[in-house]
Coordinates of all heavy atoms in Angstrom, one line a residue:
M9 N 154.1 172.9 22.0 CA 153.9 171.8 21.0 C 153.5 170.5 21.7 O 154.2 170.1 22.6 CB 155.2 171.7 20.2 CG 155.0 170.8 19.0 SD 156.4 171.2 17.9 CE 156.5 169.8 17.0
R10 N 152.5 169.8 21.2 CA 152.1 168.6 21.8 C 152.8 167.4 21.2 O 153.0 167.3 20.1 CB 150.6 168.4 21.6 CG 149.8 169.6 22.2 CD 148.4 169.5 21.8 NE 147.6 168.5 22.5 CZ 146.3 168.2 22.2 NH1 145.7 168.9 21.3 NH2 145.7 167.3 22.9
K11 N 153.1 166.5 22.1 CA 153.7 165.2 21.7 C 152.5 164.3 21.2 O 151.5 164.1 21.9 CB 154.5 164.6 22.8 CG 155.8 165.2 23.0 CD 156.6 164.4 24.0 CE 157.9 165.1 24.2 NZ 158.8 164.3 25.1
I12 N 152.8 163.6 20.1 CA 151.8 162.7 19.6 C 152.2 161.3 20.0 O 153.4 160.8 19.8 CB 151.7 162.7 18.1 CG1 151.3 164.1 17.6 CG2 150.8 161.7 17.5 CD1 151.3 164.4 16.1
K13 N 151.4 160.6 20.7 CA 151.7 159.3 21.2 C 151.5 158.3 20.1 O 150.4 158.2 19.5 CB 150.8 158.9 22.4 CG 151.2 157.6 23.1 CD 150.3 157.4 24.3 CE 150.7 156.1 25.0 NZ 149.9 155.9 26.1
Q14 N 152.5 157.5 19.7 CA 152.4 156.6 18.6 C 152.0 155.2 19.2 O 152.5 154.8 20.2 CB 153.7 156.5 17.9 CG 154.1 157.7 17.1 CD 155.3 157.5 16.2 OE1 156.0 156.5 16.3 NE2 155.5 158.4 15.3
K15 N 151.1 154.6 18.5 CA 150.7 153.2 18.9 C 151.6 152.2 18.4 O 152.0 152.2 17.2 CB 149.3 153.0 18.3 CG 148.6 151.8 18.8 CD 147.2 151.6 18.3 CE 146.6 150.4 18.8 NZ 145.3 150.2 18.2
K16 N 152.0 151.3 19.3 CA 152.9 150.2 18.9 C 152.2 149.2 18.0 O 151.1 148.7 18.4 CB 153.5 149.5 20.1 CG 154.6 148.5 19.8 CD 155.2 147.9 21.0 CE 156.2 146.9 20.6 NZ 156.8 146.3 21.7
L17 N 152.7 148.9 16.8 CA 152.0 148.0 15.9 C 152.4 146.6 16.3 O 153.6 146.3 16.5 CB 152.4 148.3 14.5 CG 152.1 149.7 14.0 CD1 152.7 150.1 12.7 CD2 150.6 149.9 13.9
K18 N 151.5 145.7 16.3 CA 151.7 144.3 16.6 C 150.9 143.3 15.8 O 149.7 143.6 15.5 CB 151.4 144.1 18.1 CG 151.8 142.8 18.7 CD 151.4 142.7 20.1 CE 151.7 141.3 20.7 NZ 151.2 141.1 22.0
L19 N 151.5 142.3 15.4 CA 150.8 141.3 14.6 C 150.6 140.0 15.5 O 151.3 139.8 16.5 CB 151.6 140.8 13.4 CG 151.7 141.9 12.3 CD1 152.6 141.4 11.2 CD2 150.4 142.3 11.7
H20 N 149.6 139.2 15.2 CA 149.3 138.0 16.0 C 150.2 136.8 15.6 O 150.1 135.8 16.2 CB 147.8 137.6 15.9 CG 147.4 137.2 14.6 ND1 147.2 138.1 13.5 CD2 147.1 136.0 14.1 CE1 146.8 137.4 12.5 NE2 146.7 136.1 12.8
V21 N 151.0 137.0 14.6 CA 151.9 136.0 14.1 C 153.3 136.5 14.0 O 153.5 137.7 13.9 CB 151.5 135.3 12.8 CG1 150.3 134.5 12.9 CG2 151.4 136.4 11.7
K22 N 154.3 135.7 14.2 CA 155.7 136.1 14.1 C 156.5 135.3 13.0 O 155.9 134.3 12.6 CB 156.4 135.9 15.5 CG 155.9 136.7 16.6 CD 156.5 136.4 17.9 CE 155.9 137.1 19.0 NZ 156.4 136.7 20.3
I23 N 157.7 135.7 12.7 CA 158.5 135.0 11.7 C 158.8 133.6 12.3 O 159.2 133.5 13.5 CB 159.8 135.7 11.4 CG1 159.4 137.0 10.7 CG2 160.7 134.9 10.6 CD1 160.6 138.0 10.5
G24 N 158.6 132.6 11.5 CA 158.9 131.2 12.0 C 157.6 130.5 12.4 O 157.6 129.2 12.5
D25 N 156.5 131.2 12.7 CA 155.3 130.5 13.0 C 154.6 129.8 11.8 O 154.8 130.2 10.7 CB 154.2 131.5 13.5 CG 154.6 132.1 14.9 OD1 155.5 131.5 15.6 OD2 153.9 133.0 15.3
T26 N 153.9 128.7 12.1 CA 153.2 128.0 11.1 C 151.8 128.5 11.1 O 151.2 128.6 12.2 CB 153.2 126.5 11.3 OG1 154.6 126.0 11.4 CG2 152.5 125.7 10.2
V27 N 151.2 128.9 9.9 CA 149.9 129.5 9.9 C 149.0 128.7 8.9 O 149.5 128.1 8.0 CB 150.0 131.0 9.5 CG1 150.6 131.8 10.5 CG2 150.6 131.2 8.1
K28 N 147.7 128.8 9.1 CA 146.8 128.2 8.2 C 146.0 129.4 7.5 O 145.5 130.3 8.2 CB 145.8 127.3 8.9 CG 144.8 126.6 8.0 CD 144.0 125.6 8.8 CE 143.1 124.8 7.9 NZ 142.4 123.8 8.6
I29 N 145.8 129.3 6.2 CA 145.1 130.4 5.5 C 143.6 130.1 5.7 O 143.1 129.0 5.4 CB 145.5 130.3 4.0 CG1 147.0 130.3 3.7 CG2 144.9 131.5 3.2 CD1 147.8 131.4 4.3
I30 N 142.9 131.1 6.1 CA 141.5 131.0 6.4 C 140.6 131.7 5.4 O 139.3 131.6 5.5 CB 141.1 131.4 7.8 CG1 141.5 132.8 8.1 CG2 141.8 130.5 8.8 CD1 141.0 133.4 9.4
A31 N 141.1 132.5 4.5 CA 140.3 133.2 3.5 C 141.1 133.4 2.2 O 142.3 133.4 2.2 CB 139.9 134.6 4.1
G32 N 140.4 133.5 1.1 CA 141.1 133.7 -0.2 C 141.3 132.5 -1.0 O 140.8 131.4 -0.7
D33 N 142.0 132.6 -2.1 CA 142.3 131.5 -3.0 C 143.0 130.4 -2.4 O 142.9 129.2 -2.9 CB 143.1 132.0 -4.2 CG 142.3 133.0 -5.1 OD1 141.0 133.0 -5.0 OD2 142.9 133.8 -5.8
Y34 N 143.8 130.6 -1.4 CA 144.7 129.6 -0.8 C 144.1 129.0 0.5 O 144.8 128.5 1.3 CB 146.1 130.1 -0.6 CG 146.7 130.5 -1.9 CD1 146.6 131.8 -2.4 CD2 147.4 129.6 -2.7 CE1 147.2 132.1 -3.6 CE2 147.9 129.9 -3.9 CZ 147.8 131.2 -4.3 OH 148.4 131.5 -5.6
K35 N 142.8 129.2 0.7 CA 142.1 128.8 1.9 C 142.4 127.3 2.2 O 142.3 126.4 1.4 CB 140.6 129.0 1.8 CG 139.8 128.7 3.0 CD 138.4 129.0 2.8 CE 137.6 128.8 4.1 NZ 136.2 129.2 3.9
G36 N 142.8 127.0 3.5 CA 143.0 125.6 3.9 C 144.5 125.2 3.8 O 144.8 124.2 4.4
Q37 N 145.3 126.0 3.2 CA 146.7 125.6 3.0 C 147.5 126.1 4.3 O 147.1 127.0 4.9 CB 147.3 126.2 1.8 CG 146.7 125.6 0.5 CD 147.4 126.1 -0.7 OE1 148.5 126.7 -0.7 NE2 146.8 125.8 -1.9
I38 N 148.6 125.4 4.5 CA 149.4 125.6 5.7 C 150.8 126.0 5.2 O 151.4 125.3 4.3 CB 149.4 124.4 6.6 CG1 148.0 124.1 7.1 CG2 150.4 124.6 7.8 CD1 147.9 122.8 7.8
G39 N 151.4 127.0 5.8 CA 152.8 127.4 5.5 C 153.4 128.1 6.6 O 152.8 128.4 7.7
E40 N 154.7 128.5 6.5 CA 155.5 129.1 7.5 C 155.7 130.6 7.1 O 156.0 130.9 6.0 CB 156.9 128.4 7.6 CG 157.8 129.0 8.7 CD 159.1 128.3 8.7 OE1 159.2 127.1 8.2 OE2 160.0 128.9 9.3
V41 N 155.6 131.5 8.1 CA 155.8 132.9 8.0 C 157.3 133.2 7.8 O 158.1 132.8 8.6 CB 155.2 133.7 9.2 CG1 155.5 135.2 9.0 CG2 153.8 133.4 9.3
T42 N 157.6 133.9 6.7 CA 159.0 134.2 6.4 C 159.4 135.7 6.6 O 160.5 136.0 6.9 CB 159.4 133.8 5.0 OG1 158.6 134.4 4.1 CG2 159.4 132.3 4.8
K43 N 158.3 136.5 6.5 CA 158.6 138.0 6.7 C 157.3 138.6 7.1 O 156.2 138.2 6.7 CB 159.1 138.6 5.4 CG 159.6 140.0 5.5 CD 160.4 140.4 4.3 CE 160.9 141.8 4.5 NZ 161.6 142.3 3.4
T44 N 157.4 139.7 7.9 CA 156.2 140.5 8.3 C 156.4 142.0 8.1 O 157.5 142.5 8.1 CB 155.9 140.2 9.8 OG1 157.0 140.7 10.6 CG2 155.6 138.8 10.1
W45 N 155.3 142.6 7.8 CA 155.2 144.1 7.7 C 154.1 144.6 8.6 O 152.9 144.5 8.3 CB 154.9 144.6 6.3 CG 156.0 144.3 5.3 CD1 157.1 145.1 5.0 CD2 156.1 143.1 4.5 NE1 157.8 144.5 4.1 CE2 157.3 143.3 3.7 CE3 155.4 142.0 4.3 CZ2 157.7 142.3 2.8 CZ3 155.8 141.0 3.4 CH2 156.9 141.2 2.6
A46 N 154.5 145.0 9.8 CA 153.5 145.4 10.8 C 152.7 146.6 10.4 O 151.5 146.7 10.7 CB 154.1 145.6 12.2
K47 N 153.3 147.6 9.8 CA 152.6 148.8 9.4 C 151.5 148.6 8.4 O 150.5 149.2 8.4 CB 153.6 149.9 8.8 CG 154.4 150.6 9.9 CD 155.2 151.7 9.3 CE 156.0 152.4 10.3 NZ 156.8 153.5 9.7
K48 N 151.8 147.6 7.5 CA 150.8 147.3 6.5 C 149.9 146.1 6.9 O 149.0 145.8 6.1 CB 151.5 146.9 5.2 CG 152.3 148.1 4.6 CD 153.0 147.6 3.3 CE 153.8 148.7 2.7 NZ 154.5 148.2 1.5
S49 N 150.2 145.5 8.0 CA 149.5 144.3 8.5 C 149.5 143.1 7.4 O 148.6 142.5 7.2 CB 148.0 144.6 8.8 OG 148.0 145.5 9.9
K50 N 150.7 143.0 6.8 CA 150.9 141.9 5.8 C 152.0 141.0 6.2 O 152.9 141.3 6.9 CB 151.2 142.6 4.4 CG 150.1 143.4 3.9 CD 150.1 143.5 2.5 CE 148.9 144.3 2.0 NZ 148.2 143.7 0.9
I51 N 151.9 139.7 5.7 CA 152.9 138.7 6.0 C 153.2 138.0 4.7 O 152.4 138.0 3.8 CB 152.4 137.7 7.1 CG1 151.2 137.0 6.7 CG2 152.2 138.4 8.4 CD1 150.8 135.8 7.6
L52 N 154.4 137.4 4.7 CA 154.8 136.6 3.6 C 154.9 135.1 4.1 O 155.6 134.8 5.0 CB 156.2 137.0 3.1 CG 156.7 136.6 1.7 CD1 155.8 137.2 0.7 CD2 158.1 136.9 1.5
V53 N 154.2 134.2 3.4 CA 154.1 132.8 3.8 C 154.8 132.0 2.7 O 154.6 132.2 1.5 CB 152.7 132.3 3.9 CG1 152.6 130.9 4.4 CG2 151.9 133.2 4.9
K54 N 155.7 131.1 3.1 CA 156.5 130.3 2.2 C 155.6 129.4 1.3 O 154.8 128.7 1.8 CB 157.5 129.4 3.1 CG 158.5 128.7 2.2 CD 159.4 127.9 3.1 CE 160.5 127.2 2.3 NZ 161.4 126.5 3.1
D55 N 155.9 129.5 0.0 CA 155.2 128.8 -1.0 C 153.7 129.0 -1.1 O 152.9 128.1 -1.6 CB 155.5 127.3 -0.9 CG 157.0 127.0 -1.1 OD1 157.6 127.7 -1.8 OD2 157.5 126.0 -0.4
I56 N 153.2 130.1 -0.6 CA 151.8 130.5 -0.7 C 151.7 131.8 -1.4 O 152.5 132.7 -1.2 CB 151.1 130.6 0.7 CG1 151.3 129.3 1.6 CG2 149.7 131.0 0.7 CD1 150.4 128.2 1.2
N57 N 150.6 131.9 -2.2 CA 150.3 133.2 -3.0 C 151.5 133.5 -4.0 O 152.0 134.6 -4.0 CB 150.1 134.4 -2.0 CG 149.4 135.5 -2.7 OD1 148.7 135.3 -3.8 ND2 149.4 136.7 -2.2
M58 N 151.8 132.5 -4.8 CA 152.9 132.6 -5.8 C 152.4 133.4 -7.0 O 151.3 133.1 -7.5 CB 153.4 131.2 -6.2 CG 153.9 130.4 -5.1 SD 155.4 131.0 -4.4 CE 156.6 130.7 -5.6
K59 N 153.1 134.4 -7.3 CA 152.8 135.3 -8.5 C 153.9 135.1 -9.6 O 155.0 134.8 -9.3 CB 152.7 136.7 -8.1 CG 151.7 137.1 -7.0 CD 150.3 136.8 -7.5 CE 149.3 137.1 -6.5 NZ 147.9 136.7 -6.8
T60 N 153.5 135.2 -10.8 CA 154.4 135.0 -11.9 C 154.8 136.4 -12.5 O 154.0 137.3 -12.7 CB 153.7 134.2 -13.1 OG1 153.2 133.0 -12.5 CG2 154.6 133.9 -14.2
K61 N 156.1 136.5 -12.7 CA 156.6 137.8 -13.2 C 157.4 137.4 -14.5 O 158.3 136.6 -14.5 CB 157.5 138.5 -12.2 CG 158.1 139.8 -12.7 CD 158.8 140.6 -11.6 CE 159.3 141.9 -12.3 NZ 159.6 142.8 -11.3
H62 N 157.1 138.1 -15.6 CA 157.8 137.9 -16.8 C 158.9 139.0 -16.9 O 158.6 140.2 -16.8 CB 156.8 138.0 -18.0 CG 155.8 137.0 -18.0 ND1 155.9 135.8 -18.7 CD2 154.6 136.9 -17.3 CE1 154.8 135.1 -18.5 NE2 154.0 135.7 -17.6
I63 N 160.1 138.5 -17.2 CA 161.3 139.4 -17.3 C 161.8 139.5 -18.7 O 162.0 138.4 -19.4 CB 162.4 139.0 -16.4 CG1 161.9 139.0 -14.9 CG2 163.6 139.9 -16.5 CD1 162.8 138.4 -13.9
R64 N 161.9 140.7 -19.3 CA 162.4 140.9 -20.6 C 163.9 140.5 -20.7 O 164.6 140.7 -19.8 CB 162.2 142.3 -21.1 CG 160.8 142.7 -21.3 CD 160.8 144.2 -21.7 NE 159.4 144.6 -21.8 CZ 159.0 145.3 -22.9 NH1 159.8 145.6 -23.9 NH2 157.7 145.6 -23.0
P65 N 164.3 140.1 -21.9 CA 165.8 140.0 -22.1 C 166.5 141.3 -22.0 O 166.0 142.3 -22.6 CB 165.9 139.3 -23.4 CG 164.6 139.5 -24.1 CD 163.6 139.7 -23.1
Q66 N 167.6 141.4 -21.3 CA 168.3 142.6 -21.1 C 169.3 142.9 -22.3 O 169.5 144.0 -22.7 CB 169.1 142.6 -19.8 CG 168.2 142.6 -18.6 CD 167.3 143.8 -18.5 OE1 167.7 144.9 -18.7 NE2 166.0 143.5 -18.2
Q67 N 169.9 141.8 -22.8 CA 170.9 142.0 -23.9 C 170.4 141.2 -25.1 O 169.6 140.3 -25.0 CB 172.3 141.5 -23.5 CG 172.9 142.3 -22.3 CD 174.2 141.6 -21.9 OE1 174.5 140.5 -22.2 NE2 174.9 142.4 -21.1
E68 N 171.0 141.6 -26.3 CA 170.6 140.9 -27.5 C 171.1 139.5 -27.5 O 172.2 139.2 -27.0 CB 171.3 141.6 -28.7 CG 170.7 141.2 -30.0 CD 171.3 142.0 -31.2 OE1 171.4 143.2 -31.0 OE2 171.6 141.4 -32.2
G69 N 170.3 138.5 -27.9 CA 170.7 137.1 -27.8 C 170.3 136.4 -26.5 O 170.3 135.2 -26.5
E70 N 170.0 137.2 -25.5 CA 169.6 136.6 -24.2 C 168.1 136.3 -24.3 O 167.3 137.0 -24.9 CB 169.9 137.6 -23.1 CG 169.7 137.1 -21.7 CD 170.0 138.2 -20.7 OE1 171.1 138.8 -20.8 OE2 169.1 138.4 -19.8
S71 N 167.7 135.2 -23.6 CA 166.2 134.9 -23.6 C 165.6 135.5 -22.4 O 166.3 135.7 -21.4 CB 166.1 133.4 -23.6 OG 166.6 132.8 -22.5
G72 N 164.3 135.7 -22.4 CA 163.6 136.2 -21.3 C 163.4 135.1 -20.2 O 163.7 134.0 -20.5
Q73 N 162.8 135.5 -19.1 CA 162.6 134.6 -18.0 C 161.2 134.7 -17.4 O 160.6 135.8 -17.6 CB 163.6 134.8 -16.9 CG 165.0 134.6 -17.2 CD 166.0 134.9 -16.0 OE1 165.6 135.7 -15.2 NE2 167.1 134.3 -16.0
I74 N 160.8 133.7 -16.8 CA 159.5 133.7 -16.1 C 159.9 133.3 -14.6 O 160.4 132.2 -14.4 CB 158.5 132.7 -16.6 CG1 158.1 133.1 -18.1 CG2 157.2 132.7 -15.8 CD1 157.2 132.2 -18.8
M75 N 159.7 134.3 -13.7 CA 160.0 134.0 -12.3 C 158.7 133.8 -11.5 O 157.7 134.5 -11.7 CB 160.8 135.2 -11.7 CG 162.2 135.3 -12.1 SD 163.0 136.7 -11.4 CE 162.7 136.5 -9.7
K76 N 158.7 132.9 -10.5 CA 157.6 132.8 -9.6 C 158.1 133.3 -8.3 O 159.2 133.0 -7.8 CB 157.3 131.3 -9.5 CG 156.5 130.8 -10.7 CD 155.7 129.6 -10.3 CE 154.8 129.2 -11.4 NZ 153.5 129.7 -11.3
K77 N 157.3 134.2 -7.7 CA 157.7 134.9 -6.4 C 156.5 134.9 -5.5 O 155.3 135.1 -5.9 CB 158.1 136.3 -6.8 CG 158.7 137.1 -5.7 CD 159.1 138.5 -6.2 CE 159.7 139.3 -5.1 NZ 160.0 140.7 -5.4
E78 N 156.8 134.8 -4.2 CA 155.7 134.9 -3.2 C 155.3 136.3 -3.0 O 156.1 137.2 -3.0 CB 156.2 134.3 -1.9 CG 156.6 132.9 -1.9 CD 157.7 132.6 -0.9 OE1 158.3 133.5 -0.3 OE2 157.9 131.4 -0.7
A79 N 154.0 136.5 -2.9 CA 153.4 137.9 -2.7 C 152.8 137.9 -1.2 O 152.4 136.9 -0.7 CB 152.3 138.2 -3.7
P80 N 152.9 139.1 -0.6 CA 152.3 139.1 0.8 C 150.8 139.0 0.8 O 150.1 139.4 -0.1 CB 152.8 140.5 1.3 CG 153.2 141.3 0.0 CD 153.5 140.3 -1.0
I81 N 150.3 138.5 1.9 CA 148.9 138.5 2.2 C 148.6 139.2 3.5 O 149.4 139.3 4.3 CB 148.3 137.0 2.2 CG1 149.0 136.2 3.3 CG2 148.5 136.4 0.8 CD1 148.4 134.8 3.4
H82 N 147.3 139.6 3.6 CA 146.9 140.3 4.8 C 146.9 139.4 6.0 O 146.5 138.2 5.9 CB 145.6 141.0 4.6 CG 145.3 142.1 5.6 ND1 144.7 141.9 6.8 CD2 145.6 143.4 5.5 CE1 144.6 143.1 7.4 NE2 145.2 144.0 6.6
S83 N 147.3 139.9 7.2 CA 147.4 139.0 8.3 C 146.1 138.6 8.9 O 146.0 137.6 9.6 CB 148.2 139.8 9.4 OG 147.5 140.9 9.8
S84 N 145.0 139.3 8.5 CA 143.7 138.8 9.0 C 143.2 137.6 8.2 O 142.2 137.0 8.6 CB 142.7 140.0 8.8 OG 142.5 140.2 7.4
N85 N 143.8 137.2 7.1 CA 143.5 136.1 6.4 C 144.2 134.8 6.8 O 144.0 133.8 6.2 CB 143.7 136.3 4.9 CG 142.9 137.4 4.3 OD1 141.8 137.6 4.8 ND2 143.3 138.0 3.2
V86 N 144.9 134.9 7.9 CA 145.6 133.7 8.4 C 145.3 133.5 9.9 O 145.0 134.4 10.6 CB 147.2 133.8 8.2 CG1 147.5 133.9 6.8 CG2 147.8 134.9 9.0
M87 N 145.5 132.2 10.3 CA 145.3 131.9 11.7 C 146.5 131.1 12.2 O 147.1 130.4 11.4 CB 144.0 131.2 11.9 CG 144.0 129.9 12.6 SD 142.4 129.1 12.7 CE 142.9 127.5 12.2
L88 N 146.9 131.4 13.4 CA 148.1 130.7 14.0 C 147.8 129.2 14.1 O 146.8 128.8 14.7 CB 148.4 131.2 15.4 CG 149.7 130.7 16.0 CD1 150.9 131.0 15.2 CD2 149.8 131.3 17.4
Y89 N 148.6 128.4 13.4 CA 148.4 126.9 13.4 C 149.3 126.2 14.4 O 148.9 125.4 15.1 CB 148.7 126.4 12.0 CG 148.3 125.0 11.7 CD1 146.9 124.6 11.6 CD2 149.2 124.0 11.6 CE1 146.6 123.3 11.4 CE2 148.9 122.7 11.4 CZ 147.6 122.3 11.3 OH 147.2 121.0 11.0
K90 N 150.6 126.7 14.4 CA 151.6 126.1 15.3 C 152.6 127.2 15.6 O 153.1 127.8 14.7 CB 152.2 124.9 14.7 CG 153.1 124.1 15.7 CD 153.6 122.9 15.0 CE 154.6 122.1 15.9 NZ 155.2 121.0 15.3
N91 N 152.9 127.4 16.9 CA 153.8 128.4 17.3 C 155.2 127.8 17.4 O 155.5 127.1 18.3 CB 153.4 129.0 18.7 CG 154.2 130.2 19.1 OD1 155.1 130.6 18.4 ND2 153.8 130.8 20.2
N92 N 156.0 128.1 16.4 CA 157.4 127.6 16.3 C 158.5 128.5 16.8 O 159.6 128.2 16.9 CB 157.7 127.2 14.8 CG 156.9 126.1 14.3 OD1 156.3 125.3 15.1 ND2 156.7 126.1 13.0
S93 N 158.1 129.8 17.1 CA 159.1 130.8 17.5 C 159.6 130.6 18.9 O 160.7 130.9 19.2 CB 158.5 132.2 17.3 OG 157.4 132.3 18.2
N94 N 158.8 130.0 19.8 CA 159.2 129.7 21.2 C 159.8 128.3 21.3 O 159.2 127.4 20.9 CB 158.1 129.9 22.2 CG 157.6 131.3 22.3 OD1 158.3 132.2 22.0 ND2 156.4 131.5 22.7
P95 N 161.0 128.2 21.9 CA 161.6 126.9 22.1 C 160.9 126.0 23.1 O 160.3 126.4 24.0 CB 163.1 127.1 22.5 CG 163.1 128.6 22.9 CD 161.9 129.2 22.4

């Protein structure tokens, strides 16, 4: 049986780095990386790519809610603006 060599996944940005969006609806905006997914090549940038989610009321008499939540964007759409992870 042959061993399959797995490639180590690596992103060009890390948590805590400041990035500039270079493509998409938020082009030109600057934010901080809060979470990364190396397998999907996606990152979560603080206060960028906000999506709206409508939540139904769970009990009778309760009102529904509208939540704003950050959605991940592809790492190829951002460029490193300032490296904050190294002291």
Side-chain angles (χ1 to χ4, degrees):
M9 190 160 159
R10 298 169 80 182
K11 286 188 178 182
I12 299 172
K13 188 175 182 181
Q14 290 189 348
K15 188 176 180 183
K16 186 175 180 182
L17 300 170
K18 185 178 174 188
L19 294 175
H20 67 284
V21 291
K22 297 177 183 173
I23 295 173
D25 288 349
T26 303
V27 294
K28 184 174 184 178
I29 312 300
I30 58 172
D33 294 338
Y34 298 92
K35 183 177 181 177
Q37 293 187 12
I38 297 168
E40 184 180 339
V41 178
T42 56
K43 192 169 182 181
T44 62
W45 293 272
K47 282 187 177 180
K48 297 179 182 178
S49 296
K50 297 208 176 221
I51 61 169
L52 196 67
V53 183
K54 186 176 183 181
D55 297 329
I56 303 286
N57 199 19
M58 299 296 284
K59 299 297 178 187
T60 305
K61 182 171 180 163
H62 297 265
I63 300 174
R64 290 179 184 230
Q66 297 297 316
Q67 296 176 345
E68 191 174 322
E70 187 179 309
S71 62
Q73 294 179 338
I74 298 174
M75 285 182 53
K76 288 205 171 259
K77 187 177 179 185
E78 298 152 345
I81 59 175
H82 201 270
S83 63
S84 66
N85 294 335
V86 300
M87 127 181 134
L88 186 61
Y89 189 73
K90 187 176 179 186
N91 191 354
N92 295 335
S93 60
N94 291 338

